[in-house]
Amino acid sequence: QVQLVEAGGGLVQPEGPLRLPCAASGNIFSINIMGWYRQAPGMQRELVARITSGGSTIYSDSVKGRFTTSRDAAKNTGYLQMNMLKPEDTADYSCNAVVQTTMLFTNSYWGQGIQVTVSS
C-alpha cells in the first residue's frame, strides 16, 4: 500500500506564496507521475499541475507562470510552489501519484487533501 500526505496549506494573503509538499511512503518501486488537483466549493476537481518521472510538466492555464511543480525522487516527495496567489486559488488541494509498486503493477493513489485559502 502507498500513502500520500500533503502539508503546507493554510491561510495566505493575496499575492503571497505558499509551498505544498506531498510525501509518498509505502511500497514504492517508482513514482511515474505526480499531480496536483484542486476543488473549490461547488466546482469540479481540476488538474493544477503534473510532473512525470522524466521531469516533464504541465500546468492549467489558470496557474501558468505562477505555480511550479517539482519532485525529489530520492525522498519520494513532490512539491507545488504557488506564487502570486489569488482569491480564486482558494480550494482543497490534493496530490495524486501514479506509483509502480512492483515490476508489473501500477496504481493511482490520492492524498487526503489540504485546504488553501487566499484572503486578506
Side-chain angles (χ1 to χ4, degrees), residues 57-70:
T57 57
I58 61 171
Y59 298 92
S60 69
D61 288 342
S62 61
V63 307
K64 276 181 184 176
R66 299 188 298 123
F67 290 12
T68 303
T69 187
S70 60

Side-chain angles (χ1 to χ4, degrees), residues 27-103:
N27 186 24
I28 299 171
F29 182 76
S30 66
I31 299 177
N32 297 342
I33 300 172
M34 185 166 276
W36 289 93
Y37 293 75
R38 68 184 181 187
Q39 186 169 21
M43 305 291 287
Q44 287 190 333
R45 184 166 60 190
E46 63 171 343
L47 173 67
V48 176
R50 193 171 67 190
I51 184 167
T52 69
S53 57
S56 297
T57 57
I58 61 171
Y59 298 92
S60 69
D61 288 342
S62 61
V63 307
K64 276 181 184 176
R66 299 188 298 123
F67 290 12
T68 303
T69 187
S70 60
R71 58 187 290 177
D72 185 333
K75 297 181 179 179
N76 287 327
T77 299
Y79 303 93
L80 183 66
Q81 176 67 46
M82 304 184 290
N83 297 325
M84 294 300 294
L85 280 160
K86 305 175 181 180
E88 51 264 43
D89 294 318
T90 295
D92 185 83
Y93 285 72
S94 299
C95 69
N96 169 269
V98 177
V99 180
Q100 188 170 355
T101 55
T102 69
M103 288 291 290

